[in-house]
């Protein structure tokens, strides 16, 4: 079998170990004769009880013996410390194997009936040591008891031992063994036991199928679960409520809600009564599928079937509503409805509702709900207060977060690491690292030791500020304080080093963590690969990729995406395509990020046709393009004409994607390039109306459009508007203005822009200076022309033969 079932190890019972069951000393103490008298009296009582029990068994009065045995075990105080203690006394004074076995089985029965599961196991161990085996009926009892006490390893050990000793397990024992295997996560063993059972002509029952279907559903092997469900019909086994509930839950978790609903209809036809579990599973499936209206109907159906929705039921639909478009408003309406019906909202359900409200930033509303529930008898625990603390931290209201912690303490609750970590994490996010450290000290001052998570937050906080020396100090502090850094501790540091371009230092941390026995995972390697690609160290990225494979760490889609992005960035499109095909061959599926990287790579290479092919492929595969898909598509399809760009822009709008500045700038630039200046200005107005702030590139395109039309006054107005918006013209803007005026033979206007450009610390290139000075000379403005030449020489721009191309100035 796949799982090695080790045999139970039994210690031989020596005479001294038998006596160890006796709680009272039988040795007379000279120092304390009263104690010895008490011990003698206790020994006498035990001997009388053992004698009476032996007589009853010898006379065959088993029922009386059973009741007497039960009284000896369950009475308080008892003469015997345990059932095994009683059995030890009895067998040590009896050579009658038959009587000893009878009492052993009687004790097993008493303990099983009284739910004394650990004593059942202890008795079986004692019998085994003595070389006595109970009959099969009692073995079943032992198996049941081990299952009840959740000793699943022992169940499997006992099963193997039984088989080895020649017992023939029945369907009950097989079923319990399979249940133990499933509970231990060994579904393969459970299926092997199932096949063995069938080979040995032991007919499986409904319980066996329920156990296996449950195990398969847990592992999301819903198709295999379906096969077993169908096999039940072939064997004329009638599925019960547990069977249906298990499958319904499995289908819902697999996202197949309609199939689950179909099973509910079959339950109705087959007269199988549902339970609240049936409806909770369906409700959960509908909520996860965002089918909120159907979930509301299901809530009504629960009540129509005579069930009272419990707190867990409401927690499911609260969670669903909060994640839906209806959001907090609908969840609050349902909450009021539930309170009106007298539904008891417990801490778990309350925390779900409050957490959802806090995630939407409605922390004050969450506090109102909490106040209302307290008035209805709820006693809030740490989890609820932690939720409120975290909610205030998320919206940056640190005063209220701290006040909530103080409220916890005033109500007798001790804040734990989670509450403090929320505050510390937010201060780190706000780059208020001194405040974060201050709260760590407060935490320690209240007797709460920082957790690994606390240290990880600090490492990440200092890492984001590039204070790496402090990060290394924190790692040392962790170990000094008895906390072992984990993969997240090192991962936070590696991530920050990679983002700062320090790949060598990040690799040193990788080697250090491995040396300390903390194994890197795929996320760690993904950080190193992405960091290497970002700084153009493609060879290093591929080395880390090879190292992953050698260490048996499977690459993820994130790994492949980082490498493809890096290859495309370096113009290695052939290698990027090879990496793309490697994704599917390793069982992964390319996602939208994969396609975006390839489209961007081909766009930079000027291959607009390939960009469009990839775009169409991703749509056919059901991958929804993102705004980053359209950046290279719109900017890279210049050769295809304005019509294609407009088509792409409209498709983007139909996908409910809002254009950003990059898209607007690309479209505006395209319109002015093709002479559709009015469309460019219309789009710029739309851009502002949509709350997207124009930047220098936006104004450069519009300025170029006006200059082409010879509208110098309107050009000046644009520059003034640009300055009024807080945008400072830079070298590219001034170059466009000077060149535009020169093209229109307005050398005087060009000279004005030239002077402003110099005053703002920018230098025009030689070509523009030559053209402007030549134009001024022709107009007889020799002094201005000479001034330009002198300034060119002073700035080292005396190469009058330089012929630079200004056509790139206005490009996006």
């Amino acid at each position: 079998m796949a799982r090695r079932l080790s045999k139970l190890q039994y210690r031989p019972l020596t005479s001294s170990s038998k006596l160890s069951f006796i709680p009272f000393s039988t040795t007379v103490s000279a120092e304390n004769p009263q104690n010895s008298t008490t011990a003698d009296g206790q020994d006498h009582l035990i001997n009388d009880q053992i004698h009476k029990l032996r007589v009853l068994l010898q006379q065959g009065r088993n029922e009386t013996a059973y009741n007497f045995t039960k009284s000896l075990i369950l009475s308080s105080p008892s003469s015997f410390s345990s059932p095994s203690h009683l059995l030890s006394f009895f067998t040590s004074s009896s050579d009658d194997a038959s009587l000893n076995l009878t009492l052993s089985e009687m004790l097993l029965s008493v303990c099983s009936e009284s739910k004394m599961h650990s004593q059942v196991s202890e008795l079986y161990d004692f019998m085994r040591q003595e070389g006595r085996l109970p009959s099969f009926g009692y073995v079943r009892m032992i198996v049941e008891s081990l299952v009840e006490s959740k000793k699943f390893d022992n169940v499997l050990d006992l099963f193997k031992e039984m088989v080895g000793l020649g017992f023939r397990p029945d369907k009950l024992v097989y079923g319990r063994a399979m249940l133990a295997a499933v509970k231990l996560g060994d579904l393969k063993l459970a299926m092997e036991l199932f096949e063995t059972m069938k080979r040995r002509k032991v007919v499986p029952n409904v319980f066996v199928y329920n156990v296996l279907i449950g195990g398969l559903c847990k592992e999301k092997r819903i198709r295999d679960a379906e096969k077993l469900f169908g096999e039940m019909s072939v064997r004329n086994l009638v599925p019960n409520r547990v069977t249906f509930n298990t499958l319904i839950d499995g289908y819902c978790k697999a996202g197949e809600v309609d199939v689950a609903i179909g099973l509910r209809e079959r339950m109705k036809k087959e007269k199988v009564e549902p339970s609240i579990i049936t409806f909770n599973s369906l409700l959960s499936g509908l909520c996860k599928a965002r089918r909120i209206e159907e979930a509301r109907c299901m809530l009504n159906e629960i009540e129509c079937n005579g069930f009272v929705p419990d707190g867990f039921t409401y927690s499911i639909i609260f969670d669903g509503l909060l994640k839906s478009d209806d959001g907090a408003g609908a969840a609050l309406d349902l909450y009021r409805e539930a309170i009106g019906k007298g539904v008891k909202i417990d801490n778990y359900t309350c925390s779900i509702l409050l957490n959802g409200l806090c995630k939407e930033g409605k922390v004050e509303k969450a506090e109102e709900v909490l106040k209302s529930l307290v008035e209805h008898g709820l006693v809030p625990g740490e989890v609820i207060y932690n939720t409120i603390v975290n909610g205030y931290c998320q919206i940056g209201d640190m005063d209220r977060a701290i006040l909530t912690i103080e409220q916890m303490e005033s109500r007798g609750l001790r804040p734990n690491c989670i509450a403090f970590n929320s505050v510390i994490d937010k201060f780190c996010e706000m780059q208020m690292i001194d405040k974060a450290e201050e709260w760590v000290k407060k935490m320690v001052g209240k007797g709460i030791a920082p957790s690994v998570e606390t240290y990880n937050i600090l490492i990440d906080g200092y890492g984001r500020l590039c204070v790496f020396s402090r990060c290394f100090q924190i790692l040392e502090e962790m170990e000094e304080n008895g906390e072992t850094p984990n993969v997240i501790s090192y991962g936070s540091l590696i991530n920050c080093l990679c983002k700062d371009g320090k790949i060598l230092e990040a690799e040193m941390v990788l080697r250090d963590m491995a040396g300390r026995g903390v194994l890197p995972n795929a996320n760690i390697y993904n950080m190193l690969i992405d960091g290497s690609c970002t700084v153009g160290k493609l060879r290093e990225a591929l080395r880390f990729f090879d190292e992953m494979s050698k260490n048996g760490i499977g690459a993820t889609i994130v790994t492949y995406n980082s490498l493809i992005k890096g290859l495309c960035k370096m113009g290695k499109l052939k290698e990027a395509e090879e990496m793309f095909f490697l994704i599917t061959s390793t069982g992964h599926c390319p996602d939208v990020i994969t396609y975006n990287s390839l489209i961007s790579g081909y766009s930079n290479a000027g291959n607009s046709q390939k960009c469009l092919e990839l775009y169409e492929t991703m749509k056919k595969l059901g991958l929804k393009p993102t705004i980053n898909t359209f950046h290279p598509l719109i900017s890279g399809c210049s050769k295809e004409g304005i019509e294609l760009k407009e088509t792409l822009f409209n498709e983007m709008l139909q996908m409910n994607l809002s254009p950003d500045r990059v898209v607007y700038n690309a479209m505006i630039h395209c319109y002015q390039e093709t002479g559709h200046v009015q469309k460019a200005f219309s789009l710029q107005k739309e851009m502002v109306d949509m709350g997207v702030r124009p930047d220098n590139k936006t104004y450069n395109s519009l300025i170029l459009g006006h200059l082409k039309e010879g509208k110098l006054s309107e050009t000046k107005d644009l520059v003034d508007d640009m300055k009024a918006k807080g945008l400072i013209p830079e070298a590219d803007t001034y170059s466009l203005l000077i060149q535009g005026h020169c093209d229109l033979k307005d050398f005087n206007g060009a000279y004005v822009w030239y002077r402003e450009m110099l005053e703002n610390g920018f230098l025009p290139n030689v070509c523009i200076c030559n053209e402007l000075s030549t134009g001024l000379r022709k107009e007889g403005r020799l002094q201005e022309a000479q001034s330009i030449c002198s300034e060119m020489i002073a700035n080292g721009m005396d190469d009058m033969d330089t012929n630079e191309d200004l056509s790139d100035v206005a490009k996006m």
Side-chain angles (χ1 to χ4, degrees):
M1 291 184 179
R3 183 182 181 279
R4 188 177 66 83
L5 298 174
S6 59
K7 205 169 182 178
L8 284 170
Q9 298 297 311
Y10 298 104
R11 297 186 305 275
L13 187 63
T14 63
S15 57
S16 60
S17 65
K18 286 182 182 180
L19 291 173
S20 67
F21 283 110
I22 305 172
F24 302 99
S25 173
T26 57
T27 307
V28 177
S29 170
E31 294 179 3
N32 196 342
Q34 185 177 1
N35 284 351
S36 66
T37 303
T38 304
D40 287 342
Q42 183 67 25
D43 287 347
H44 183 71
L45 175 61
I46 289 174
N47 289 330
D48 283 350
Q49 290 170 335
I50 292 295
H51 176 72
K52 181 179 177 181
L53 184 56
R54 181 176 293 105
V55 169
L56 291 171
L57 291 171
Q58 286 171 341
Q59 292 175 352
R61 297 165 62 187
N62 286 355
E63 187 175 346
T64 306
Y66 180 87
N67 291 330
F68 181 59
T69 302
K70 191 172 182 180
S71 69
L72 291 177
I73 296 302
L74 301 180
S75 61
S76 181
S78 172
S79 302
F80 304 96
S81 61
S82 68
S84 298
H85 180 202
L86 191 158
L87 184 58
S88 174
F89 258 107
F90 190 92
T91 58
S92 63
S93 60
S94 171
D95 295 327
D96 191 332
S98 176
L99 283 185
N100 292 345
L101 181 60
T102 301
L103 180 60
S104 300
E105 293 181 339
M106 196 172 283
L107 285 166
L108 283 172
S109 185
V110 169
C111 292
S112 179
E113 181 187 317
S114 305
K115 308 293 183 187
M116 298 167 67
H117 301 301
S118 59
Q119 285 82 356
V120 170
S121 181
E122 186 181 307
L123 279 167
Y124 179 72
D125 286 352
F126 183 82
M127 292 172 69
R128 192 70 186 80
Q129 291 165 18
E130 293 289 304
R132 291 188 302 276
L133 289 174
S135 63
F136 182 70
Y138 288 96
V139 169
R140 293 176 68 192
M141 193 180 292
I142 296 166
V143 170
E144 287 277 23
S145 189
L146 289 170
V147 169
E148 286 288 331
S149 56
K150 303 188 187 308
K151 295 181 178 178
F152 301 117
D153 274 312
N154 290 351
V155 172
L156 294 176
D157 290 336
L158 178 56
F159 180 85
K160 182 176 181 182
E161 187 173 28
M162 284 169 52
V163 173
L165 292 170
F167 283 106
R168 179 181 164 82
D170 61 5
K171 64 182 70 176
L172 183 143
V173 175
Y174 268 114
R176 298 308 182 269
M178 289 179 213
L179 176 63
V182 168
K183 290 289 185 182
L184 292 170
D186 197 342
L187 184 58
K188 184 179 179 183
L189 172 61
M191 296 302 295
E192 287 174 357
L193 288 171
F194 181 57
E195 293 303 320
T196 302
M197 178 185 190
K198 291 191 289 185
R199 277 198 311 272
R200 294 183 177 175
K201 308 300 181 186
V202 181
V203 180
N205 57 12
V206 174
F207 177 84
V208 168
Y209 279 98
N210 286 349
V211 167
L212 295 175
I213 288 170
L216 290 165
C217 287
K218 190 176 180 181
E219 291 194 3
K220 297 185 179 178
R221 291 169 57 183
I222 198 70
R223 301 285 85 87
D224 291 329
E226 277 178 352
K227 288 176 184 176
L228 282 183
F229 185 62
E231 192 177 301
M232 290 179 73
S233 299
V234 175
R235 291 184 177 274
N236 294 319
L237 292 173
V238 180
N240 59 19
R241 183 164 59 193
V242 174
T243 320
F244 281 108
N245 282 354
T246 304
L247 269 173
I248 285 171
D249 188 60
Y251 280 121
C252 286
K253 285 178 177 171
E256 300 182 34
V257 186
D258 290 324
V259 184
I261 292 170
L263 272 181
R264 165 69 187 116
E265 293 304 313
R266 180 171 166 180
M267 285 178 78
K268 290 179 185 178
K269 289 177 185 176
E270 297 183 12
K271 302 289 190 285
V272 180
E273 288 296 321
S275 66
I276 192 66
I277 295 171
T278 318
F279 292 109
N280 282 350
S281 294
L282 288 166
L283 201 59
S284 179
L286 289 167
C287 286
K288 284 178 182 175
R290 305 292 175 91
R291 292 160 64 170
I292 301 302
E293 285 308 311
E294 291 173 76
R296 288 178 184 274
C297 293
M298 184 64 65
L299 195 60
N300 293 331
E301 189 180 342
I302 291 173
E303 294 174 346
C304 291
N305 277 270
F307 294 103
V308 178
D310 56 12
F312 184 67
T313 308
Y314 277 98
S315 71
I316 292 168
I317 197 160
F318 281 153
D319 189 52
L321 287 169
L322 288 162
K323 290 176 180 176
S324 71
D325 295 334
D326 297 337
L332 285 170
D333 288 342
L334 183 66
Y335 157 72
R336 296 185 191 100
E337 181 185 317
I339 293 296
K341 291 179 179 179
V343 175
K344 186 80 172 175
I345 303 293
D346 59 13
N347 266 264
Y348 174 75
T349 309
C350 176
S351 66
I352 293 288
L353 178 58
L354 299 188
N355 188 50
L357 291 169
C358 289
K359 279 185 176 178
E360 288 195 16
K362 301 183 189 313
V363 192
E364 290 184 0
K365 181 61 69 176
E367 286 232 69
E368 287 177 26
V369 170
L370 179 57
K371 184 180 177 183
S372 166
L373 286 171
V374 169
E375 290 170 359
H376 282 83
L378 179 77
V379 180
E382 289 92 343
V383 173
I384 286 177
Y385 280 108
N386 288 345
T387 302
I388 299 292
V389 170
N390 189 52
Y392 278 122
C393 287
Q394 283 180 357
I395 62 173
D397 191 342
M398 301 309 292
D399 291 337
R400 295 292 291 272
I402 293 164
L403 181 62
T404 304
I405 291 177
E406 291 170 356
Q407 286 175 353
M408 285 180 75
E409 293 176 306
S410 68
R411 292 177 184 177
L413 291 171
R414 188 184 183 208
N416 56 20
C417 263
I418 297 171
F420 281 99
N421 285 350
S422 293
V423 173
I424 295 164
D425 187 41
K426 188 62 182 183
F427 278 131
C428 285
E429 185 187 313
M430 297 165 71
Q431 298 189 356
M432 298 171 68
I433 203 74
D434 290 339
K435 291 289 288 182
E437 290 274 21
E438 180 187 321
W439 271 84
V440 174
K441 289 176 184 175
K442 284 185 181 181
M443 182 180 179
V444 173
K446 292 181 183 290
I448 303 165
S451 63
V452 173
E453 289 72 25
T454 314
Y455 289 113
N456 289 350
I457 289 166
L458 287 172
I459 290 170
D460 189 59
Y462 278 107
R464 289 174 188 274
L465 295 173
C466 298
V467 186
F468 298 114
S469 58
R470 178 63 183 135
C471 294
F472 288 108
Q473 284 177 0
I474 293 168
L475 285 172
E476 290 176 8
E477 286 174 19
M478 288 178 76
E479 294 185 331
E480 288 169 5
N481 293 328
E483 294 287 357
T484 304
N486 60 17
V487 71
I488 297 173
S489 315
Y490 290 105
S492 296
L493 180 51
I494 288 171
N495 186 43
C496 293
L497 285 166
C498 287
K499 285 185 175 178
D500 197 42
K502 293 180 166 60
I503 307 302
L504 179 61
E505 292 84 346
E507 184 174 359
M508 288 172 67
V509 175
L510 172 72
R511 305 303 168 210
D512 181 61
M513 71 182 283
R516 293 173 185 268
V518 181
L519 298 177
N521 56 21
N523 288 338
I524 297 289
Y525 279 104
N526 288 345
M527 293 170 192
L528 290 160
I529 289 168
D530 187 62
S532 300
C533 288
T534 301
V535 296
K537 294 183 177 180
L538 197 54
R539 184 175 294 176
E540 298 302 305
L542 291 169
R543 180 169 60 81
F544 287 126
F545 180 61
D546 290 339
E547 188 177 311
M548 277 182 85
S549 179
K550 288 175 184 175
N551 291 339
I553 300 169
T556 67
I557 188 64
V558 175
T559 319
Y560 292 112
N561 283 346
S562 295
L563 287 167
I564 287 171
K565 183 180 177 182
L567 289 164
C568 287
K569 186 179 176 183
M570 299 291 287
K572 297 181 179 294
L573 297 174
K574 182 181 176 183
E575 291 86 345
E577 287 276 7
E578 289 172 359
M579 190 65 69
F580 176 81
F581 290 118
L582 189 60
I583 293 177
T584 52
S585 66
T586 53
H588 297 284
C589 293
D591 60 11
V592 66
I593 297 171
T594 320
Y595 280 95
N596 285 354
S597 295
L598 286 169
I599 290 170
S600 181
Y602 280 108
S603 175
N604 292 335
N607 192 342
S608 57
Q609 193 57 45
K610 185 66 176 179
C611 293
L612 293 169
E613 286 175 13
L614 287 165
Y615 172 62
E616 292 301 325
T617 300
M618 68 185 292
K619 287 195 294 180
K620 287 176 184 175
L621 292 172
L623 294 172
K624 185 183 177 183
T626 65
I627 193 69
N628 289 326
T629 313
F630 288 96
H631 288 169
L633 276 173
I634 291 175
S635 62
C637 292
S638 302
K639 298 176 184 177
E640 307 299 323
I642 189 64
E643 293 81 9
L644 177 60
K645 290 200 175 196
E646 287 180 328
T647 300
L648 290 169
F649 185 80
N650 290 328
E651 282 188 19
M652 182 185 67
L653 297 177
Q654 288 166 10
M655 293 176 188
N656 294 320
L657 293 172
S658 300
D660 61 2
R661 185 184 293 123
V662 174
V663 172
Y664 275 120
N665 281 350
M667 291 300 296
I668 289 169
H669 178 69
C670 182
Y671 278 132
Q672 74 81 14
E673 281 281 287
T674 54
H676 297 84
V677 179
Q678 200 53 49
K679 282 189 176 182
F681 275 93
S682 297
L683 203 57
Q684 186 260 350
K685 183 179 182 304
E686 178 189 309
M687 180 182 185
V688 174
D689 292 342
M690 294 298 292
V692 180
R693 190 169 181 263
D695 63 1
N696 285 36
K697 288 183 179 181
T698 319
Y699 279 98
N700 284 352
S701 292
L702 297 173
I703 286 167
L704 194 55
H706 270 331
L707 287 170
K708 283 182 178 179
E709 293 182 334
K711 297 180 178 179
L712 299 181
S713 175
E714 287 86 345
T715 300
K716 176 69 167 60
D717 291 341
L718 267 177
V719 177
D720 291 342
D721 183 58
M722 181 181 182
K723 292 175 181 177
K725 295 285 196 308
L727 295 171
I728 300 169
E730 295 183 353
D732 53 356
T733 307
Y734 285 116
S735 296
L736 286 172
L737 289 164
I738 297 168
Q739 184 65 61
H741 280 267
C742 286
D743 290 343
L744 294 169
K745 308 303 180 185
D746 180 15
F747 297 107
N748 183 47
Y751 186 70
V752 170
W753 290 119
Y754 167 80
R755 300 274 15 130
E756 184 176 319
M757 185 177 187
L758 256 63
E759 287 166 9
N760 287 316
F762 300 110
L763 291 172
N765 61 36
V766 173
C767 185
I768 288 178
C769 291
N770 283 340
E771 188 171 352
L772 177 56
S773 62
T774 300
L776 289 169
R777 284 194 190 94
K778 286 181 180 178
E779 290 186 351
R781 301 181 64 181
L782 301 178
Q783 186 176 348
E784 288 88 341
Q786 185 57 45
S787 172
I788 292 172
C789 291
S790 299
E791 285 160 348
M792 287 171 67
I793 293 168
N795 287 292
M797 299 167 61
D798 55 348
D799 184 2
M800 305 304 290
D801 296 324
T802 302
N803 184 19
E804 297 185 7
D805 187 2
L806 273 180
S807 62
D808 291 333
V809 172
K811 287 187 178 179
M812 298 297 103

